[in-house]
Amino acid sequence: MRTDPLAYLGMELDALRSQELHRSLRVLEDRQQATSTFDHKSVVNLSSNNYLGLTTHPMLVERAIQAIREFGVGSGSVRTIAGTMEIHMELERRLAAFKKTEAVVVFQSGFAANAGTVSAILTKEDAIISDELNHASIIDGARLSRATIKVFPHKNVDAARKILQELPAAQRKLLITDGVFSMDGDLGSVPGLCALAEEFGCIMMVDDAHASGVFGKNGRGTIDHFDMHGRVDIQVGTLSKAMGALGGYVAGSAALIDFLYHRARPFLFSTSHPPSVAATCLAAIDVLEKEPEIIERLWDNTRFFKKGLETLGFNTGLSESPITPVIAGEGSRAMKLSDRLFEEGVFAQGIAFPTVARDKARVRTIVTAAHTRDELQFALDKFKKVGSELGLI
Ligand SMILES: Cc1ncc(COP(=O)(O)O)c(C=O)c1O
């Protein structure tokens, strides 16, 4: 009889179970919104990236339905063969105007945008200098490029400078940071790194996935927030979080975008978005431009909830965004906190090693513009109860 060549995977899973780190997927049974039903339980939802509540916005839903009626449900091809529809081009033009850059290319996801871009523009002769907490898609793109990878300690511009000083002056270099870090909610050292990129002649790239729709005027991101227009060569944004739909994009020069049309592998080798996704994203840009008060509501809720957690005495790290971690220490403790909160009616996902450092396991909370004060107060009351129970406050 054939022995199972994948038996080792079962052992790995057993190891996770023994460390109390094995998770089942939580299943959403209704809509992605401020209070949702997961696993048959109605909970205040602090786990989505639906910052502006746009996943269920009536105008976005209507535009998606209209696009399906008019253009069908799929694009039927990759962009470089028959899968570029006029609505894809319209979205790219609209995003370029919104981001104030010459051009934009839209990818199937933010992950594909980062990994596809970094791997396309670098070769094994080049170097990438990357913040240690940059997103997995940047790390994968760097590995695929086969460039030399140099990692600097989180937000440490001086350490990045030392790395640059040691690299050959003639070598091509990409300096890269997240605009907002997804697990800690703090901002990247965008101004300091831009200055460094100019000093050393690096390509400067910022992944603004969690800043899109959240930071800057009308949600234009950290480049706008820090007034760094014209100083970042490659801006990545996502359409999957605050924009409520799906996708990622790269904003930059016309030459960069044309090059990515020719060389970015997810663009060349994976089917483009259904037209309804592009229509939804166009509607989301309308919301950002015409209803900026929705972003203000997100920030009001953020300030209220963060202050509440801090007043209760939780360790919320150094967050500067609507992402607020509640740091619990050991992985099993964070999972216990998450599980008990869920029993009490609050969904805040536990996050442990390898996503964060072993001793910095946490539950991550993200408030949205759609949460009411009552929902947030309910969540704070439950954090107080469970946090005391587990000795965290
Ligand atoms: C910092 C960062 N970059 C990129 C991505 C990928 O974005 P998307 O979900 O659109 O693939 C994420 C999402 O998890 C992220 O947190």
Side-chain angles (χ1 to χ4, degrees):
M1 205 178 79
R2 185 171 178 257
T3 53
D4 178 6
L6 292 177
Y8 69 101
L9 298 182
M11 289 189 275
E12 299 262 344
L13 289 169
D14 286 343
L16 284 180
R17 282 187 196 95
S18 69
Q19 294 162 50
E20 294 177 50
L21 294 177
H22 183 268
R23 311 300 291 168
S24 304
L25 299 175
R26 292 237 182 257
V27 178
L28 174 60
E29 287 151 7
D30 55 0
R31 302 172 136 217
Q32 185 63 265
Q33 54 198 7
T35 293
S36 295
T37 305
F38 284 89
D39 296 344
H40 315 307
K41 190 170 173 67
S42 173
V43 285
V44 173
N45 179 4
L46 297 176
S47 289
S48 83
N49 299 310
N50 183 24
Y51 290 104
L52 301 176
L54 297 192
T55 53
T56 53
H57 191 293
M59 196 254 287
L60 272 64
V61 172
E62 200 43 51
R63 296 265 196 99
I65 292 168
Q66 272 174 20
I68 289 175
R69 293 233 161 83
E70 200 170 341
F71 304 115
V73 292
S75 76
S77 172
V78 300
R79 289 283 305 270
T80 47
I81 301 183
T84 293
M85 303 175 86
E86 172 50 29
I87 201 163
H88 293 130
M89 299 309 292
E90 186 185 346
L91 177 59
E92 291 182 342
R93 286 192 296 270
R94 190 76 193 282
L95 280 168
F98 182 70
K99 296 290 284 188
K100 303 183 180 173
T101 58
E102 279 179 12
V104 156
V105 50
V106 171
F107 286 84
Q108 299 86 349
S109 68
F111 196 108
N114 272 330
T117 300
V118 172
S119 59
I121 63 166
L122 297 181
T123 69
K124 65 178 175 9
E125 317 301 332
D126 306 327
I128 174 166
I129 301 93
S130 177
D131 187 290
E132 66 177 335
L133 296 187
N134 277 346
H135 191 255
S137 51
I138 294 173
I139 298 169
D140 286 7
R143 288 176 180 158
L144 283 170
S145 75
R146 296 185 293 150
T148 301
I149 302 170
K150 300 279 184 185
V151 173
F152 59 89
H154 186 43
K155 295 178 68 163
N156 191 331
V157 177
D158 289 339
R161 169 188 294 281
K162 286 209 182 77
I163 292 172
L164 285 167
Q165 281 165 342
E166 283 165 17
L167 289 170
Q171 190 175 29
R172 184 175 297 126
K173 303 171 193 80
L174 172 71
L175 190 52
I176 184 163
T177 183
D178 282 1
V180 175
F181 288 88
S182 57
M183 294 298 142
D184 291 272
D186 54 344
L187 290 170
S189 303
V190 178
L193 292 174
C194 281
L196 207 56
E198 283 155 11
E199 188 184 334
F200 286 86
C202 306
I203 305 160
M204 182 69 208
M205 177 164 170
V206 176
D207 169 14
D208 249 351
H210 283 277
S212 307
V214 175
F215 279 89
K217 188 163 189 292
N218 300 90
R220 284 184 172 79
T222 59
I223 285 82
D224 190 81
H225 172 79
F226 286 120
D227 199 12
M228 294 286 121
H229 290 289
R231 298 180 65 186
V232 176
D233 305 292
I234 307 176
Q235 300 182 44
V236 168
T238 185
L239 303 164
S240 326
K241 301 183 194 296
M243 306 294 270
L246 176 69
Y249 61 89
V250 175
S253 68
L256 169 72
I257 302 313
D258 199 18
F259 180 83
L260 294 174
Y261 277 179
H262 288 82
R263 286 287 178 270
R265 292 169 74 83
F267 189 84
L268 269 73
F269 296 111
S270 184
T271 297
S272 54
H273 281 155
S276 54
V277 171
T280 311
C281 295
L282 282 163
I285 303 171
D286 285 344
V287 172
L288 294 185
E289 288 182 341
K290 293 186 191 137
E291 301 175 40
E293 58 280 5
I294 208 166
I295 304 175
E296 205 30 60
R297 219 177 307 141
L298 167 68
W299 281 101
D300 275 347
N301 279 348
T302 298
R303 285 185 284 269
F304 174 80
F305 192 67
K306 252 188 218 308
K307 188 154 178 280
L309 286 174
E310 283 160 11
T311 307
L312 288 172
F314 284 104
N315 175 1
T316 57
L318 300 170
S319 165
E320 301 164 85
S321 73
I323 300 172
T324 309
V326 174
I327 297 169
E330 290 281 296
S332 57
R333 207 153 177 232
M335 295 308 167
K336 181 87 195 160
L337 175 60
S338 177
D339 288 344
R340 279 290 298 117
L341 284 167
F342 194 83
E343 283 164 16
E344 296 286 336
V346 177
F347 180 20
Q349 184 65 54
I351 295 171
F353 182 81
T355 309
V356 294
R358 272 185 209 282
D359 60 342
K360 295 230 171 79
R362 64 200 58 192
V363 300
R364 183 178 69 157
T365 67
I366 300 184
V367 300
T368 72
H371 285 96
T372 63
R373 278 298 147 94
D374 282 352
E375 286 169 323
L376 295 179
Q377 189 56 56
F378 173 85
L380 287 171
D381 293 344
K382 298 304 181 183
F383 263 97
K384 182 176 180 192
K385 178 174 178 195
V386 177
S388 315
E389 228 174 78
L390 298 181
L392 289 168
I393 51 172

